[in-house]
Amino acid sequence: MASYNYSYIFKYIIIGDMGVGKSCLLHQFTEKKFLPDCPHTIGVEFGTRIIEVNGQKIKLQIWDTAGQERFRAVTRSYYRGAAGALMVYDVTRRSTYNHLSSWLTDARNLTNPNTTIFLIGNKSDLESQRDVTYEEAKKFADDNGLTFLEASAKTGANVEESFIETAKTIFQNIQNGSLDLNAAESGVQQKTQPAPAVDLGDKPAANSGCGC
Amino acid sequence: MSENENEAPLPQQEQQEQQEQAQAQAQADELIETSFEDEAVVTRVTDVLGEVATSTDGHVVHTHNHQSNHNAQNTPAPDEDTTASDASAAAAAAAAEAEEEPPAAAAPAQEADKDEESTRAQEEEPAPQAQPAPVKEDDVAPAASVEEPVHEVIKAAPAPVVAIAEAPAVAAPEPAVVEPAPLPTPAAAPPAAAVVVVPEAAAPKATAADAQLAAIAATVGVTGPAPLGAIKAEAAAKQAQEEGTLVAPLSPDEERAEVAARYAAGRNSAQTYTEDELQFDDLSKTDRYGFIHNSVLSTAARTKDEEKSLERERERGLKWHKMLKNWSAVNPRKVHARVFKGIPDSVKGEGWKRILGTDEKRKGNPGTYEHFKAKAMKQSTYLRQIDLDVNRTWRDHQIFKERYSIKQIHLFNVLSAYTMYNELVGYCQGMSGIVGLLLMYMDEEDAFWSLTTLFQDRIHSMNDLFLPGFPRLMEQFDLHEKLMNNMFPSLAQHFRQETVMISAYASKWFLQVFLDKVPFELTLRVWDAFILEGYRVPIVMAMVFIKVHKARLQAMDFEGILTFLQNLDKEPHDADALIKQLDRMMGTLTEKVLIATQAQPSPSAE
């Protein structure tokens, strides 16, 4: 674990109602593929990808969460320590948009004050079925200080951008000092220096020889 | 059901519990000395046993039999504590929500519905009500006992919390939230913003009346002829598109009706076949379980080993046929041994049903399933959520591949009916996979009754697993952690250091009993064991996986561990060996030991 091919780790969480396409967005971002029958997420799932922002390699560690209300009991603990939160709704289903304020409350209450929250209106390819206009969502985003893009996990439109814009904002916050890397649960780890974070010295001897 | 009514059945229940405890005692005494090869031995059993056993029992049964609340001192059943206040709040919300709904807003009007329902149930369903003492044998074979729907029990609690909290509130006012700026309401948006909602298939430009019609047609349509509502809705949608008129978003009632109509219409709901659907099933890509793979499966002739194992399965199939004919006389040990060898695919459905007592329940409750199914189409607040998940459950399997295929409809029906049968749980994500699995091996109604057993009986008690707040899942996480500390302390320490949270890898393992992310062949073997032995299986199976991969996990970092545990299906595996390990470890980790471990204070890190 001496050297890393990236300088930072940013932790993300993806939240939003059932069926808005959270897992598809993640899959599109990490695999560059659209999974039409993407199974629904039970609890949380984990994905990762390395990106480049301002010449710095950054590893994104992304938690994808179950959308059903009930699963917040499990997913809540993943908000803490997220540097970025992608909040997703489905532009073809107004109910998913109506629930945003509740998701935002969770995001604000459970993350740290510097967490970058990014709003994504997914399924922008389904223009004929649109149920929420760009303008009204933009207004909601502006009113709440969120960055906003409409995206499509299917075509890939704006998917990269959403993840990368979020990383840029986080990076800016690091540079201008508003995000304190040493703060607990900032959601960011710096990896440029040799990392002493993991100390394996105190491994108990009792089990080290076991080969099962 | 009030506390008083529970007095009568108590002795019976106690007796049963005592028996079980005595049994467990004997079993544990016998096995307690066994130790894990090279691992720290689980100890300190007896001192805490009594107390915890009570609470665990209480917890296991409390949701389907309120009587157990007497025992459940350590587990104060949060759902019930909060229900009263939630119910009134919900009623207020419902009133607010009901504003412009011409047809009685069925979903929010829970209180009224309940009364109405209980009378209706008495009229229409002699079976559940006729039973004087509604105590149910919780054990595997409920000897033709009449099923008491959870639904009835739940009436003791004022209102199902979930049903309202998770209602697909299209136009529902947001709960008073201080922080975020208000959402622009649909009304405030420019008129051009309102566009036709077309959820995948036919978009009904449904007036409330149309929707109502569709709902009726939907329920009739399940058995009856042309789903009139669906056709009408479709026509309305077409008209709307032609006229370019704008439609307000569907109300919850309309949405429910629309969803129900689509499934009632079945294959007609899908306007066109997708490219995937148009392709003939390529049998060279389909495995023996019905899963369709991306590439052609090996066409090489079977190896000798494969031939042998198939031959063995055929022989076992014959033995099982004999055994099923004479089920009640079979020695339980023999059943255990045969189940752990794997129930042959040809008799798997029969085997599962026999163990779960499905036939008895079905025969004892004629018309019940149809009743709850019909009721769900009119009242369930979960139809849209279920619809979303049916659309992405087991889609790589032959029978679920096609949208609105007969099995997709059954999946939708069973899950919907269950939301009315067990309002406390309703529908929770994760259940669709389970019902889907059952439907691979049995018909609609059998799957429903099997599900009720899995959720309600004591040894499976999946009910508590899926309740809001996931009480049993949380317990299982806790237990898993303690077992890790006891059995694999250095790995547990490593996981802590790498900040690997148990819920990150074990949620699916426990909620769905390894339904996904392990090879399907192994899933089936674990499910055979689970159906026979119950909730201990996933707990112990988790330890088997950890044990087998311990050395590798110890060398991995945070990311490696999670990626690895999330993708166990990509690991080569030997199902026979793993299930043997499971069997062995279950012998060692008897229920008693599990409980005792659970009660131990977490050992200090080092």
Side-chain angles (χ1 to χ4, degrees):
Chain A
M1 288 186 197
S3 66
Y4 297 94
N5 54 353
Y6 49 88
S7 349
Y8 292 95
I9 294 179
F10 290 177
K11 300 209 178 204
Y12 281 15
I13 183 168
I14 311 181
I15 55 175
D17 269 13
M18 274 173 80
V20 295
K22 298 179 291 297
S23 304
C24 290
L25 285 167
L26 176 60
H27 199 262
Q28 176 63 260
F29 179 66
T30 57
E31 311 289 324
K32 302 210 160 80
K33 259 189 259 165
F34 176 61
L35 263 186
D37 304 324
C38 192
H40 51 277
T41 308
I42 316 287
V44 291
E45 295 209 13
F46 179 73
T48 159
R49 195 184 129 185
I50 296 176
I51 58 166
E52 204 174 303
V53 169
N54 296 5
Q56 299 274 3
K57 288 230 158 90
I58 295 168
K59 168 161 260 174
L60 300 184
Q61 289 183 342
I62 306 153
W63 290 108
D64 177 23
T65 63
Q68 198 182 21
E69 170 92 19
R70 196 173 307 187
F71 275 94
R72 293 199 205 183
V74 175
T75 57
R76 268 172 206 274
S77 45
Y78 292 82
Y79 286 70
R80 281 191 313 150
L86 306 184
M87 192 165 73
V88 187
Y89 70 97
D90 174 352
V91 301
T92 70
R93 273 195 299 143
R94 174 161 291 276
S95 58
T96 66
Y97 173 76
N98 289 344
H99 292 155
L100 285 178
S101 50
S102 142
W103 287 111
L104 186 57
T105 306
D106 265 14
R108 289 259 159 87
N109 289 344
L110 299 170
T111 61
N112 69 67
N114 287 308
T115 299
T116 301
I117 305 176
F118 196 101
L119 179 65
I120 301 177
N122 191 29
K123 311 197 188 175
S124 63
D125 55 296
L126 300 175
E127 191 54 48
S128 66
Q129 300 171 30
R130 177 183 285 277
D131 202 15
V132 180
T133 60
Y134 176 85
E135 290 73 22
E136 70 175 308
K138 180 79 174 92
K139 181 170 184 313
F140 172 75
D142 289 345
D143 289 350
N144 288 288
L146 314 173
T147 327
F148 168 57
L149 276 179
E150 284 192 346
S152 165
K154 189 170 184 180
T155 66
N158 276 347
V159 175
E160 286 285 301
E161 288 79 351
S162 303
F163 284 84
I164 289 171
E165 283 303 316
T166 306
K168 278 187 187 160
T169 312
I170 296 168
F171 192 71
Q172 258 170 25
N173 289 344
I174 295 171
Q175 300 227 301
N176 67 25
S178 64
L179 188 82
D180 180 6
L181 288 187
N182 298 318
E185 331 219 293
S186 66
V188 176
Q189 286 171 41
Q190 196 162 9
K191 291 287 184 187
T192 29
Q193 287 85 27
V198 181
D199 181 13
L200 295 169
D202 60 346
K203 196 170 165 185
N207 286 286
S208 52
C210 163
C212 304
Chain B
M1 193 189 297
S2 76
E3 296 279 289
N4 299 344
E5 284 169 326
N6 289 315
E7 294 304 324
L10 189 59
Q12 196 184 338
Q13 173 89 7
E14 258 175 9
Q15 204 180 0
Q16 191 194 335
E17 276 171 11
Q18 275 166 7
Q19 269 173 10
E20 278 162 4
Q21 274 182 18
Q23 248 173 21
Q25 180 84 38
Q27 221 180 355
D29 289 346
E30 190 184 315
L31 291 156
I32 212 121
E33 293 139 41
T34 335
S35 65
F36 294 102
E37 292 92 328
D38 53 346
E39 301 298 344
V41 183
V42 184
T43 49
R44 285 203 277 154
V45 180
T46 40
D47 46 344
V48 278
L49 176 66
E51 181 195 335
V52 183
T54 315
S55 84
T56 305
D57 280 354
H59 197 102
V60 170
V61 283
H62 84 261
T63 43
H64 58 92
N65 194 334
H66 279 212
Q67 148 209 337
S68 56
N69 285 342
H70 297 305
N71 307 342
Q73 283 153 2
N74 296 355
T75 50
D79 41 289
E80 286 164 19
D81 286 350
T82 53
T83 333
S85 59
D86 279 3
S88 54
E97 213 175 308
E99 352 155 273
E100 297 163 351
E101 298 301 320
Q110 294 287 347
E111 298 290 325
D113 276 359
K114 284 192 163 302
D115 293 338
E116 192 191 310
E117 174 49 34
S118 68
T119 12
R120 198 187 310 158
Q122 274 166 359
E123 287 161 13
E124 295 179 8
E125 277 177 73
Q129 295 289 339
Q131 202 68 358
V135 92
K136 184 166 63 69
E137 286 300 319
D138 290 319
D139 264 318
V140 179
S145 75
V146 174
E147 180 55 18
E148 180 209 0
V150 172
H151 172 74
E152 301 299 332
V153 180
I154 290 158
K155 278 185 187 134
V161 185
V162 222
I164 289 159
E166 292 184 356
V170 172
E174 287 297 328
V177 177
V178 191
E179 230 183 290
L183 286 155
T185 60
V195 187
V196 187
V197 199
V198 191
E200 293 187 37
K205 180 222 172 190
T207 62
D210 278 345
Q212 204 69 359
L213 225 161
I216 295 160
T219 49
V220 175
V222 175
T223 47
L228 199 63
I231 294 164
K232 193 164 176 190
E234 206 175 329
K238 218 179 224 172
Q239 196 191 344
Q241 270 173 351
E242 278 164 14
E243 291 171 5
T245 43
L246 299 164
V247 181
L250 297 179
S251 75
D253 279 353
E254 288 167 339
E255 188 175 63
R256 172 176 48 247
E258 186 273 326
V259 173
R262 264 190 283 129
Y263 284 88
R267 200 44 244 190
N268 297 332
S269 290
Q271 289 167 320
T272 51
Y273 283 84
T274 65
E275 238 168 75
D276 263 2
E277 288 170 344
L278 276 176
Q279 277 170 11
F280 287 106
D281 275 0
D282 187 344
L283 291 180
S284 64
K285 291 182 185 172
T286 307
D287 68 21
R288 62 170 299 200
Y289 301 110
F291 287 95
I292 302 159
H293 298 255
N294 287 328
S295 50
V296 175
L297 302 171
S298 167
T299 50
R302 288 193 193 104
T303 64
K304 255 191 181 158
D305 278 354
E306 284 167 342
E307 281 292 351
K308 236 191 219 165
S309 95
L310 274 177
E311 182 53 36
R312 229 177 350 204
E313 188 172 331
R314 272 192 288 271
E315 283 165 16
R316 281 189 194 143
L318 293 174
K319 285 186 190 168
W320 266 88
H321 269 296
K322 263 190 220 158
M323 188 161 80
L324 286 168
K325 269 185 205 155
N326 196 21
W327 186 255
S328 52
V330 184
N331 181 338
R333 270 196 212 153
K334 194 174 193 177
V335 175
H336 176 95
R338 286 193 173 166
V339 168
F340 273 70
K341 280 179 183 166
I343 305 178
D345 228 49
S346 57
V347 292
K348 199 179 282 294
E350 272 312 306
W352 286 0
K353 278 165 53 185
R354 200 60 64 95
I355 296 168
L356 295 174
T358 304
D359 286 345
E360 290 87 343
K361 277 187 159 186
R362 182 174 177 163
K363 275 180 204 138
N365 297 276
T368 304
Y369 171 62
E370 292 299 328
H371 164 76
F372 284 108
K373 188 162 87 181
K375 190 178 169 193
M377 299 309 154
K378 280 177 267 172
Q379 293 178 24
S380 176
T381 52
Y382 289 98
L383 297 197
R384 182 63 176 131
Q385 292 186 22
I386 293 169
D387 173 44
L388 283 170
D389 284 351
V390 166
N391 191 23
R392 43 190 183 154
T393 297
W394 296 121
R395 289 303 293 278
D396 53 346
H397 193 279
Q398 271 179 334
I399 62 175
F400 296 111
K401 178 182 123 181
E402 195 183 290
R403 193 73 177 113
Y404 307 107
S405 67
I406 195 74
K407 283 286 187 180
Q408 273 204 6
I409 293 170
H410 291 169
L411 180 57
F412 176 80
N413 289 345
V414 173
L415 290 169
S416 302
Y418 197 73
T419 64
M420 303 315 290
Y421 180 83
N422 180 350
E423 290 185 57
L424 219 47
V425 161
Y427 171 70
C428 181
Q429 291 196 301
M431 288 166 66
S432 66
I434 292 168
V435 174
L437 177 73
L438 296 174
L439 284 169
M440 290 176 200
Y441 291 98
M442 57 187 82
D443 74 18
E444 191 180 352
E445 187 166 351
D446 283 343
F448 176 81
W449 289 114
S450 299
L451 186 71
T452 63
T453 306
L454 288 174
F455 267 66
Q456 287 160 255
D457 79 355
R458 190 178 158 279
I459 67 159
H460 301 93
S461 70
M462 294 190 101
N463 192 71
D464 295 19
L465 213 46
F466 285 100
L467 277 178
F470 302 108
R472 176 134 216 127
L473 181 66
M474 298 302 162
E475 270 178 35
Q476 293 195 352
F477 286 159
D478 204 41
L479 184 50
H480 179 76
E481 186 178 9
K482 282 167 181 147
L483 286 170
M484 286 284 286
N485 288 336
N486 270 299
M487 295 167 66
F488 313 115
S490 67
L491 187 63
Q493 168 71 8
H494 179 57
F495 275 23
R496 273 195 295 276
Q497 230 154 22
E498 291 293 320
T499 64
V500 173
M501 289 202 271
I502 292 166
S503 61
Y505 62 86
S507 298
K508 251 186 160 171
W509 288 0
F510 293 152
L511 279 174
Q512 296 191 309
V513 193
F514 298 93
L515 210 58
D516 194 13
K517 308 284 175 159
V518 301
F520 191 69
E521 180 201 6
L522 185 57
T523 293
L524 289 175
R525 296 288 297 272
V526 175
W527 265 79
D528 287 342
F530 171 64
I531 284 196
L532 184 70
E533 298 288 348
Y535 69 90
R536 287 192 302 143
V537 167
I539 294 168
V540 179
M541 194 66 211
M543 300 319 289
V544 170
F545 273 119
I546 299 278
K547 184 179 172 195
V548 167
H549 300 297
K550 199 178 70 149
R552 290 170 73 184
L553 289 167
Q554 187 83 53
M556 289 175 182
D557 64 359
F558 168 81
E559 212 176 293
I561 293 166
L562 286 170
T563 313
F564 182 80
L565 292 178
Q566 265 182 27
N567 295 288
L568 283 175
D569 53 338
K570 298 192 176 73
E571 286 300 304
H573 72 285
D574 177 346
D576 282 327
L578 287 169
I579 296 297
K580 241 177 226 159
Q581 289 226 39
L582 170 70
D583 198 9
R584 197 150 29 108
M585 206 186 274
M586 282 183 69
T588 323
L589 284 173
T590 57
E591 186 157 9
K592 241 175 143 180
V593 180
L594 286 176
I595 291 163
T597 312
Q598 192 169 14
Q600 279 181 22
S602 186
S604 58
E606 230 51 51

